[in-house]
Amino acid sequence: MGDTVQQFFAVKAKIAAAEQEAGREAGAVTLVAVSKTFDAADIKPVLETGQRVFGENRVQEAQGKWPDLKAAFPDIELHLIGPLQSNKAKEAVALFDVIETVDREKIAAELAKEIARQGRAPRLYVQVNTGSEPQKTGIEPRDAVAFVTRCRDVHVLAIEGLMCIPPADENPGPHFALLEKLAREAGVAKLSMGMSGDYETAIAFGATSVRVGSAIFGSR
């Protein structure tokens, strides 16, 4: 477990250096520690460092471990960073504090319904498929700004930011630049971009949060 904590602090130090390098304010970038496939015993040492922001890919997996951890650490902020199926909207709204993967009309409608029903409003991001990859979820870049507007006007959802996962075999820089441009056009302030292999680049392009898993927890 010592390794995980050491790796966590190494990532924090690299984020601080990248902020400084980019002329950003210290603490401008939130680290979302991605704990998917790891269980509560693996996560606890990172929680004990004071880290409170975590990301999970699957609603069902998160339901198995986070309710108890949230009871023990009430100030946890849990992000859903994997694809959301509309039949899981109810559980997602109940458990997650931030949902980063709003990417189609049906999901927006389901979330609006559940938020009204539960009286609990997770913060929301629209996921953009910046590489237009057919196997990936996310809205097409050309439709992103209009979709954010529809989320606001039709579904009365407050969209806080945009999120992307660039293609694995491409330079991520242009994808981060595109997301930043779309965010400006859509009038949203937050950019969730950058993972273990490219988070320092993402910070240079204006990321407000980075999603780092394997660089902290190792690979499963």
Side-chain angles (χ1 to χ4, degrees):
M1 281 297 95
D3 280 1
T4 302
V5 170
Q6 233 171 333
Q7 284 155 202
F8 168 75
F9 282 118
V11 168
K12 290 286 282 183
K14 284 181 176 173
I15 289 172
E19 285 173 338
Q20 197 174 3
E21 177 78 16
R24 312 264 312 267
E25 233 174 277
V29 180
T30 299
L31 169 59
V32 180
V34 178
S35 48
K36 62 175 184 180
T37 76
F38 290 89
D39 56 27
D42 298 312
I43 296 165
K44 266 208 170 125
V46 178
L47 272 164
E48 279 155 9
T49 66
Q51 173 69 14
R52 288 295 178 269
V53 187
F54 290 84
E56 287 284 339
N57 259 36
R58 292 198 170 93
V59 175
Q60 217 163 340
E61 187 196 331
Q63 281 178 308
K65 57 189 170 185
W66 282 101
D68 288 351
L69 288 169
K70 279 187 147 199
F73 298 89
D75 53 345
I76 282 170
E77 179 180 293
L78 192 58
H79 291 230
L80 179 63
I81 58 171
L84 176 59
Q85 278 123 9
S86 50
N87 65 350
K88 290 273 189 275
K90 178 182 173 183
E91 290 91 339
V93 169
L95 180 61
F96 288 92
D97 304 293
V98 182
I99 295 172
E100 298 200 10
T101 49
V102 182
D103 67 348
R104 57 198 187 282
E105 205 72 45
K106 190 176 181 188
I107 287 292
E110 283 298 320
L111 287 172
K113 194 169 83 182
E114 282 305 324
I115 286 166
R117 206 176 63 81
Q118 296 184 35
R120 187 173 196 274
R123 288 154 37 213
L124 303 175
Y125 287 58
V126 165
Q127 182 174 355
V128 182
N129 185 352
T130 55
S132 298
E133 296 174 279
Q135 78 281 16
K136 264 194 196 152
T137 52
I139 193 135
E140 285 290 317
R142 66 175 176 272
D143 301 326
V145 176
F147 180 63
V148 170
T149 303
R150 277 205 310 282
C151 284
R152 287 183 184 135
D153 297 351
V154 178
H155 303 290
V156 201
L157 294 172
I159 301 294
E160 175 175 291
L162 302 182
M163 179 267 229
C164 75
I165 305 168
D169 54 355
E170 288 185 26
N171 172 5
H175 294 272
F176 298 151
L178 172 60
L179 199 72
E180 193 275 334
K181 175 177 170 281
L182 291 171
R184 266 186 292 118
E185 287 172 10
V188 297
K190 304 281 187 174
L191 288 169
S192 170
M193 56 192 198
M195 301 191 292
S196 286
D198 56 19
Y199 64 89
E200 291 158 287
T201 306
I203 290 168
F205 280 94
T208 56
S209 60
V210 293
R211 310 178 305 275
V212 181
S214 54
I216 296 169
F217 293 101
S219 49
R220 255 289 188 249

